[in-house]
Amino acid sequence: MSTNENTVMGILPVNKPKGWTSFDVVAKLRGVMKIKRLGHAGTLDPMATGVLPVFVGKATKACDILPDTKKIYTAGFRLGVSTDTLDITGRVIRENADKVTADRLERIRQQFVGEITQLPPMYSAVKVDGKRLYQLAREGKTVQRTPRKCIVHSIEIISYDDRIREGEMTISCEKGTYVRTIIDDMGNALGTGAVMTSLVRTYSAGFDIAQCLTMEQIEQICKQGRISDVIMSVEKAFEMYGGIRLDRRLTELYKNGVKLYRSQLKEEQQGDIFRVFGSDGSFLGLGTFKNEMLCSVKNFY
Protein backbone atom coordinates (compact mmCIF):
# COMPACT_ATOMS: atom_id res chain seq x y z
CA MET A 1 0.00 0.00 0.00
CA SER A 2 1.38 3.40 -0.96
CA THR A 3 1.87 6.33 1.40
CA ASN A 4 -0.83 8.23 -0.52
CA GLU A 5 -3.28 5.43 0.19
CA ASN A 6 -2.84 5.90 3.93
CA THR A 7 -3.34 9.66 3.84
CA VAL A 8 -5.60 10.51 0.90
CA MET A 9 -9.32 9.73 1.08
CA GLY A 10 -12.29 11.25 -0.68
CA ILE A 11 -14.01 11.68 -4.02
CA LEU A 12 -12.49 12.92 -7.26
CA PRO A 13 -15.16 13.86 -9.83
CA VAL A 14 -13.74 13.07 -13.26
CA ASN A 15 -14.95 14.18 -16.68
CA LYS A 16 -14.52 10.86 -18.47
CA PRO A 17 -13.06 11.27 -21.96
CA LYS A 18 -14.65 9.75 -25.03
CA GLY A 19 -13.26 6.38 -26.06
CA TRP A 20 -12.24 5.39 -22.53
CA THR A 21 -13.99 2.76 -20.43
CA SER A 22 -14.67 3.60 -16.78
CA PHE A 23 -12.08 0.94 -15.90
CA ASP A 24 -9.53 2.69 -18.15
CA VAL A 25 -10.00 5.88 -16.11
CA VAL A 26 -9.43 4.09 -12.80
CA ALA A 27 -6.43 2.16 -14.16
CA LYS A 28 -4.79 5.36 -15.43
CA LEU A 29 -5.44 7.19 -12.15
CA ARG A 30 -3.86 4.37 -10.14
CA GLY A 31 -0.62 5.07 -11.95
CA VAL A 32 -0.89 8.85 -11.92
CA MET A 33 -1.95 9.16 -8.27
CA LYS A 34 0.20 6.27 -6.98
CA ILE A 35 -2.86 4.88 -5.19
CA LYS A 36 -4.15 1.34 -5.74
CA ARG A 37 -7.38 1.60 -3.78
CA LEU A 38 -9.67 3.38 -6.24
CA GLY A 39 -13.24 2.72 -7.33
CA HIS A 40 -15.93 4.44 -9.35
CA ALA A 41 -19.69 4.90 -9.23
CA GLY A 42 -21.93 4.58 -12.28
CA THR A 43 -20.26 2.95 -15.27
CA LEU A 44 -20.19 4.93 -18.52
CA ASP A 45 -19.95 3.41 -22.01
CA PRO A 46 -16.73 4.17 -23.95
CA MET A 47 -18.55 6.57 -26.32
CA ALA A 48 -19.96 8.56 -23.39
CA THR A 49 -18.29 11.46 -21.59
CA GLY A 50 -19.04 13.33 -18.40
CA VAL A 51 -19.39 12.81 -14.67
CA LEU A 52 -17.59 9.76 -13.27
CA PRO A 53 -17.11 10.01 -9.48
CA VAL A 54 -13.88 8.24 -8.52
CA PHE A 55 -13.54 7.15 -4.88
CA VAL A 56 -10.10 7.29 -3.32
CA GLY A 57 -8.70 5.23 -0.42
CA LYS A 58 -11.17 4.32 2.32
CA ALA A 59 -13.86 6.31 0.47
CA THR A 60 -14.31 3.29 -1.84
CA LYS A 61 -16.51 1.90 0.95
CA ALA A 62 -19.12 4.48 -0.10
CA CYS A 63 -19.53 3.24 -3.69
CA ASP A 64 -22.42 0.88 -2.97
CA ILE A 65 -24.35 3.05 -0.47
CA LEU A 66 -24.68 6.38 -2.30
CA PRO A 67 -28.03 7.96 -1.46
CA ASP A 68 -28.31 10.23 -4.51
CA THR A 69 -29.14 7.83 -7.35
CA LYS A 70 -30.28 10.46 -9.86
CA LYS A 71 -28.46 10.82 -13.20
CA ILE A 72 -28.83 13.54 -15.81
CA TYR A 73 -27.72 13.08 -19.42
CA THR A 74 -27.56 15.07 -22.63
CA ALA A 75 -27.99 12.65 -25.52
CA GLY A 76 -27.75 13.13 -29.26
CA PHE A 77 -30.10 11.05 -31.41
CA ARG A 78 -30.86 10.25 -35.04
CA LEU A 79 -34.16 8.91 -36.32
CA GLY A 80 -34.53 6.54 -39.28
CA VAL A 81 -31.79 4.07 -38.41
CA SER A 82 -31.45 1.14 -35.99
CA THR A 83 -28.24 -0.66 -35.00
CA ASP A 84 -27.34 -3.78 -33.03
CA THR A 85 -25.75 -1.67 -30.24
CA LEU A 86 -28.60 0.91 -30.19
CA ASP A 87 -26.01 3.64 -30.82
CA ILE A 88 -24.20 5.09 -33.81
CA THR A 89 -21.16 2.83 -33.32
CA GLY A 90 -23.09 -0.36 -34.14
CA ARG A 91 -23.95 -2.32 -37.26
CA VAL A 92 -26.97 -0.91 -39.10
CA ILE A 93 -29.83 -3.43 -39.11
CA ARG A 94 -32.72 -1.24 -40.33
CA GLU A 95 -33.30 2.09 -42.05
CA ASN A 96 -36.45 4.13 -42.59
CA ALA A 97 -37.01 7.34 -44.56
CA ASP A 98 -40.33 8.48 -43.02
CA LYS A 99 -40.53 12.08 -41.91
CA VAL A 100 -41.12 12.88 -38.23
CA THR A 101 -42.34 16.28 -37.10
CA ALA A 102 -41.24 17.96 -33.87
CA ASP A 103 -44.84 17.77 -32.60
CA ARG A 104 -45.00 14.02 -33.11
CA LEU A 105 -41.63 13.55 -31.42
CA GLU A 106 -42.87 15.61 -28.47
CA ARG A 107 -45.96 13.42 -28.08
CA ILE A 108 -43.87 10.23 -28.15
CA ARG A 109 -41.44 11.65 -25.58
CA GLN A 110 -44.17 11.87 -22.97
CA GLN A 111 -44.77 8.10 -23.12
CA PHE A 112 -41.33 7.42 -21.64
CA VAL A 113 -41.54 9.58 -18.51
CA GLY A 114 -42.38 7.97 -15.16
CA GLU A 115 -41.94 4.33 -14.19
CA ILE A 116 -41.19 2.47 -17.40
CA THR A 117 -40.02 -1.01 -18.35
CA GLN A 118 -36.82 -1.57 -20.30
CA LEU A 119 -35.19 -4.61 -21.85
CA PRO A 120 -31.43 -4.41 -21.08
CA PRO A 121 -29.51 -4.08 -24.37
CA MET A 122 -27.31 -6.97 -25.49
CA TYR A 123 -24.35 -4.60 -25.47
CA SER A 124 -24.45 -3.96 -21.71
CA ALA A 125 -22.68 -5.14 -18.56
CA VAL A 126 -25.72 -7.05 -17.24
CA LYS A 127 -24.84 -10.65 -16.35
CA VAL A 128 -26.80 -13.68 -17.58
CA ASP A 129 -25.65 -17.07 -16.28
CA GLY A 130 -22.41 -15.50 -15.06
CA LYS A 131 -21.48 -13.87 -18.36
CA ARG A 132 -21.75 -10.21 -19.40
CA LEU A 133 -24.27 -9.55 -22.15
CA TYR A 134 -21.74 -7.60 -24.21
CA GLN A 135 -19.43 -10.65 -24.20
CA LEU A 136 -22.24 -12.81 -25.59
CA ALA A 137 -23.13 -10.12 -28.13
CA ARG A 138 -19.54 -10.02 -29.41
CA GLU A 139 -19.81 -13.77 -29.94
CA GLY A 140 -22.86 -13.10 -32.11
CA LYS A 141 -25.27 -14.48 -29.54
CA THR A 142 -28.62 -13.09 -28.42
CA VAL A 143 -30.08 -14.41 -25.17
CA GLN A 144 -33.33 -14.09 -23.28
CA ARG A 145 -33.33 -11.02 -21.01
CA THR A 146 -35.68 -10.03 -18.22
CA PRO A 147 -37.37 -6.61 -18.59
CA ARG A 148 -36.56 -4.21 -15.77
CA LYS A 149 -38.48 -1.34 -14.27
CA CYS A 150 -36.75 2.02 -14.13
CA ILE A 151 -37.70 5.59 -13.31
CA VAL A 152 -37.39 8.50 -15.72
CA HIS A 153 -38.04 11.89 -14.11
CA SER A 154 -38.06 13.93 -17.29
CA ILE A 155 -37.19 13.98 -20.99
CA GLU A 156 -36.80 17.31 -22.76
CA ILE A 157 -36.15 17.70 -26.49
CA ILE A 158 -33.68 20.60 -26.55
CA SER A 159 -33.12 20.63 -30.32
CA TYR A 160 -34.49 18.79 -33.37
CA ASP A 161 -33.97 19.32 -37.10
CA ASP A 162 -36.76 17.53 -38.96
CA ARG A 163 -34.87 17.79 -42.29
CA ILE A 164 -32.09 15.48 -41.12
CA ARG A 165 -34.12 13.97 -38.24
CA GLU A 166 -31.37 14.62 -35.68
CA GLY A 167 -31.44 16.37 -32.34
CA GLU A 168 -30.54 16.40 -28.67
CA MET A 169 -32.48 15.62 -25.51
CA THR A 170 -31.86 15.83 -21.78
CA ILE A 171 -32.90 12.88 -19.65
CA SER A 172 -33.16 12.88 -15.86
CA CYS A 173 -33.52 9.37 -14.47
CA GLU A 174 -32.60 6.97 -11.69
CA LYS A 175 -29.65 4.59 -11.84
CA GLY A 176 -30.12 1.46 -13.92
CA THR A 177 -31.75 3.36 -16.81
CA TYR A 178 -30.30 2.87 -20.29
CA VAL A 179 -30.50 6.09 -22.31
CA ARG A 180 -29.85 4.35 -25.62
CA THR A 181 -32.72 1.96 -24.87
CA ILE A 182 -35.03 4.94 -24.32
CA ILE A 183 -33.97 6.36 -27.68
CA ASP A 184 -34.37 2.99 -29.42
CA ASP A 185 -37.81 2.50 -27.85
CA MET A 186 -38.87 6.00 -28.94
CA GLY A 187 -37.72 5.20 -32.47
CA ASN A 188 -39.73 1.98 -32.45
CA ALA A 189 -42.80 3.86 -31.19
CA LEU A 190 -42.37 6.31 -34.08
CA GLY A 191 -41.99 3.44 -36.54
CA THR A 192 -38.70 4.80 -37.87
CA GLY A 193 -36.12 3.44 -35.47
CA ALA A 194 -33.54 5.65 -33.73
CA VAL A 195 -30.00 5.53 -32.43
CA MET A 196 -28.04 7.45 -29.84
CA THR A 197 -25.29 9.52 -31.47
CA SER A 198 -23.64 11.01 -28.37
CA LEU A 199 -23.96 10.93 -24.60
CA VAL A 200 -22.77 13.29 -21.87
CA ARG A 201 -23.57 12.62 -18.22
CA THR A 202 -23.92 16.02 -16.61
CA TYR A 203 -24.91 14.91 -13.09
CA SER A 204 -24.32 11.80 -10.99
CA ALA A 205 -24.13 10.90 -7.28
CA GLY A 206 -24.54 14.54 -6.25
CA PHE A 207 -21.81 15.86 -8.57
CA ASP A 208 -22.24 18.26 -11.48
CA ILE A 209 -20.07 18.27 -14.59
CA ALA A 210 -18.82 21.77 -13.68
CA GLN A 211 -17.10 20.19 -10.65
CA CYS A 212 -15.27 17.59 -12.73
CA LEU A 213 -11.62 17.60 -13.78
CA THR A 214 -10.26 16.22 -17.04
CA MET A 215 -7.64 13.49 -17.02
CA GLU A 216 -5.08 16.02 -18.27
CA GLN A 217 -5.86 18.39 -15.40
CA ILE A 218 -5.56 15.60 -12.84
CA GLU A 219 -2.22 14.46 -14.27
CA GLN A 220 -0.86 18.01 -14.05
CA ILE A 221 -2.14 18.44 -10.49
CA CYS A 222 -0.47 15.18 -9.46
CA LYS A 223 2.84 16.33 -10.94
CA GLN A 224 2.54 19.45 -8.79
CA GLY A 225 1.85 17.35 -5.70
CA ARG A 226 -1.53 19.02 -5.14
CA ILE A 227 -3.94 16.09 -5.50
CA SER A 228 -5.18 16.49 -1.90
CA ASP A 229 -6.32 20.01 -2.78
CA VAL A 230 -8.89 18.77 -5.33
CA ILE A 231 -10.19 15.61 -3.68
CA MET A 232 -13.55 16.27 -2.04
CA SER A 233 -14.54 14.91 1.35
CA VAL A 234 -16.50 11.66 1.16
CA GLU A 235 -19.07 13.45 3.32
CA LYS A 236 -20.09 15.39 0.17
CA ALA A 237 -21.88 12.29 -1.12
CA PHE A 238 -24.09 12.15 2.00
CA GLU A 239 -25.12 15.78 2.41
CA MET A 240 -28.82 14.87 2.22
CA TYR A 241 -28.53 13.18 5.63
CA GLY A 242 -28.77 15.02 8.96
CA GLY A 243 -25.70 15.27 11.18
CA ILE A 244 -24.78 14.32 14.74
CA ARG A 245 -21.70 15.80 16.41
CA LEU A 246 -20.18 13.91 19.33
CA ASP A 247 -18.23 15.41 22.21
CA ARG A 248 -14.67 14.30 22.90
CA ARG A 249 -15.57 11.43 25.25
CA LEU A 250 -18.33 10.07 23.00
CA THR A 251 -16.05 10.37 19.97
CA GLU A 252 -13.52 8.03 21.55
CA LEU A 253 -16.23 5.58 22.59
CA TYR A 254 -17.79 5.58 19.12
CA LYS A 255 -14.43 5.04 17.41
CA ASN A 256 -13.80 2.10 19.73
CA GLY A 257 -17.04 0.47 18.61
CA VAL A 258 -19.13 1.35 21.65
CA LYS A 259 -22.84 1.84 20.90
CA LEU A 260 -24.15 5.10 22.32
CA TYR A 261 -27.59 5.69 23.81
CA ARG A 262 -29.74 8.30 22.11
CA SER A 263 -30.10 10.02 25.50
CA GLN A 264 -26.32 10.61 25.60
CA LEU A 265 -26.44 12.84 22.53
CA LYS A 266 -26.93 16.57 22.80
CA GLU A 267 -28.77 16.95 19.48
CA GLU A 268 -31.76 15.19 17.97
CA GLN A 269 -32.10 14.51 14.24
CA GLN A 270 -34.93 13.27 12.06
CA GLY A 271 -34.44 10.37 9.67
CA ASP A 272 -33.07 6.83 9.57
CA ILE A 273 -29.42 7.47 8.70
CA PHE A 274 -27.13 10.23 9.97
CA ARG A 275 -23.69 11.64 9.29
CA VAL A 276 -21.61 11.23 12.44
CA PHE A 277 -18.93 13.84 13.24
CA GLY A 278 -16.21 13.74 15.85
CA SER A 279 -15.57 16.48 18.43
CA ASP A 280 -13.07 18.10 16.02
CA GLY A 281 -15.65 18.22 13.21
CA SER A 282 -14.13 15.33 11.26
CA PHE A 283 -16.51 13.04 9.39
CA LEU A 284 -16.47 9.63 11.05
CA GLY A 285 -19.12 7.88 8.97
CA LEU A 286 -22.79 7.01 8.87
CA GLY A 287 -24.87 5.86 11.80
CA THR A 288 -28.41 4.78 12.59
CA PHE A 289 -30.47 4.17 15.71
CA LYS A 290 -31.43 0.63 16.71
CA ASN A 291 -33.31 0.14 19.98
CA GLU A 292 -32.44 3.73 20.97
CA MET A 293 -28.72 3.11 20.44
CA LEU A 294 -26.48 4.76 17.81
CA CYS A 295 -24.93 2.04 15.69
CA SER A 296 -22.44 2.38 12.85
CA VAL A 297 -23.64 1.86 9.27
CA LYS A 298 -20.29 2.58 7.62
CA ASN A 299 -17.11 4.09 9.05
CA PHE A 300 -14.57 6.19 7.16
CA TYR A 301 -11.86 6.76 9.77
Side-chain angles (χ1 to χ4, degrees), residues 99-298:
K99 277 199 160 189
V100 177
T101 65
D103 286 343
R104 187 169 170 226
L105 183 60
E106 182 66 21
R107 289 194 300 273
I108 289 293
R109 167 197 70 82
Q110 297 168 7
Q111 298 177 19
F112 296 91
V113 176
E115 185 178 86
I116 65 172
T117 301
Q118 287 190 326
L119 190 67
M122 278 302 302
Y123 282 88
S124 67
V126 173
K127 279 187 175 181
V128 173
D129 296 330
K131 202 160 186 179
R132 303 285 185 187
L133 285 178
Y134 67 77
Q135 294 174 320
L136 296 169
R138 287 170 183 167
E139 295 170 6
K141 299 175 181 176
T142 301
V143 297
Q144 191 75 24
R145 289 152 285 160
T146 303
R148 297 180 170 190
K149 288 184 178 180
C150 59
I151 296 174
V152 178
H153 299 297
S154 65
I155 300 175
E156 301 295 333
I157 309 297
I158 54 178
S159 68
Y160 176 64
D161 187 334
D162 59 6
R163 295 169 301 172
I164 57 174
R165 296 180 300 169
E166 291 187 13
E168 275 192 330
M169 65 177 75
T170 57
I171 297 177
S172 173
C173 58
E174 291 295 312
K175 70 175 183 179
T177 305
Y178 290 97
V179 173
R180 54 201 162 101
T181 299
I182 290 177
I183 292 172
D184 179 67
D185 287 345
M186 288 175 66
N188 290 333
L190 288 164
T192 62
V195 293
M196 184 175 75
T197 57
S198 63
L199 185 67
V200 181
R201 186 159 66 194
T202 58
Y203 180 91
S204 178
F207 296 94
D208 187 88
I209 196 167
Q211 298 172 287
C212 295
L213 297 171
T214 65
M215 295 296 287
E216 292 78 13
Q217 288 173 321
I218 295 168
E219 195 161 4
Q220 188 62 34
I221 288 167
C222 285
K223 287 178 181 177
Q224 296 168 357
R226 297 190 299 108
I227 192 61
S228 294
D229 296 343
V230 297
I231 291 180
M232 299 182 182
S233 169
V234 68
E235 179 208 345
K236 171 73 177 172
F238 302 104
E239 284 183 334
M240 65 173 58
Y241 294 143
I244 295 174
R245 185 159 179 165
L246 307 177
D247 62 26
R248 184 177 297 177
R249 185 178 70 87
L250 295 182
T251 297
E252 290 306 312
L253 290 173
Y254 184 84
K255 291 175 77 170
N256 286 324
V258 177
K259 293 180 174 61
L260 307 177
Y261 286 100
R262 189 190 291 265
S263 58
Q264 291 177 273
L265 307 176
K266 294 180 180 179
E267 47 194 331
E268 188 75 17
Q269 294 285 349
Q270 299 297 316
D272 297 323
I273 298 178
F274 309 89
R275 292 172 295 156
V276 181
F277 298 92
S279 57
D280 61 356
S282 60
F283 178 58
L284 301 179
L286 302 176
T288 188
F289 285 104
K290 293 181 180 178
N291 299 321
E292 295 300 298
M293 301 189 78
L294 179 62
C295 306
S296 170
V297 172
K298 190 79 73 171

Side-chain angles (χ1 to χ4, degrees), residues 14-33 35 38-40 43-48 52 54 134 138 215 218-219:
V14 177
N15 188 342
K16 188 191 86 66
K18 188 174 182 179
W20 292 48
T21 66
S22 300
F23 178 81
D24 290 339
V25 170
V26 170
K28 176 69 174 178
L29 290 178
R30 284 196 179 109
V32 169
M33 298 171 66
I35 297 176
L38 297 178
H40 68 81
T43 302
L44 282 173
D45 290 341
M47 76 172 286
L52 183 70
V54 174
Y134 67 77
R138 287 170 183 167
M215 295 296 287
I218 295 168
E219 195 161 4

